[in-house]
Amino acid sequence: YVREGFTRLKIKMGHSLPEQKKLIPRIREKAGNSVELTADANQAYTASEALELAEKLQEANFVLLEQPV
């Protein structure tokens, strides 16, 4: 999608937290820094997991976490 000119991507989350945390930096790397990334967790995590996920997303400059719990 980035090659097609999209400047904002919504990424569906829901893998186990350890697996998702590994994927986040890879997603940012593939998308590049000029793309605005948002995440939709579809209520896949507990409150404490959501906070942990939010920290990792913030490190990768995601701008939004939708429905984490």
Side-chain angles (χ1 to χ4, degrees), residues 14-50:
H15 294 279
S16 70
L17 186 58
E19 182 64 26
Q20 194 66 67
K21 287 172 64 177
K22 289 178 192 174
L23 290 172
I24 291 168
R26 292 173 54 200
I27 293 167
R28 170 48 74 197
E29 182 182 333
K30 292 288 184 184
N33 290 326
S34 63
V35 175
E36 189 173 85
L37 294 174
T38 66
D40 186 350
N42 292 311
Q43 301 175 333
Y45 302 104
T46 66
S48 62
E49 288 174 328

Side-chain angles (χ1 to χ4, degrees):
Y1 293 107
V2 174
R3 287 187 205 134
E4 294 175 23
F6 287 83
T7 58
R8 178 183 291 173
L9 300 174
K10 182 185 219 179
I11 309 299
K12 296 291 186 177
M13 302 280 153
H15 294 279
S16 70
L17 186 58
E19 182 64 26
Q20 194 66 67
K21 287 172 64 177
K22 289 178 192 174
L23 290 172
I24 291 168
R26 292 173 54 200
I27 293 167
R28 170 48 74 197
E29 182 182 333
K30 292 288 184 184
N33 290 326
S34 63
V35 175
E36 189 173 85
L37 294 174
T38 66
D40 186 350
N42 292 311
Q43 301 175 333
Y45 302 104
T46 66
S48 62
E49 288 174 328
L51 289 171
E52 197 173 329
L53 178 64
E55 288 179 16
K56 193 68 174 176
L57 290 169
Q58 187 175 24
E59 290 172 11
N61 296 317
F62 276 64
V63 297
L64 175 74
L65 174 56
E66 182 180 344
Q67 285 188 312
V69 293

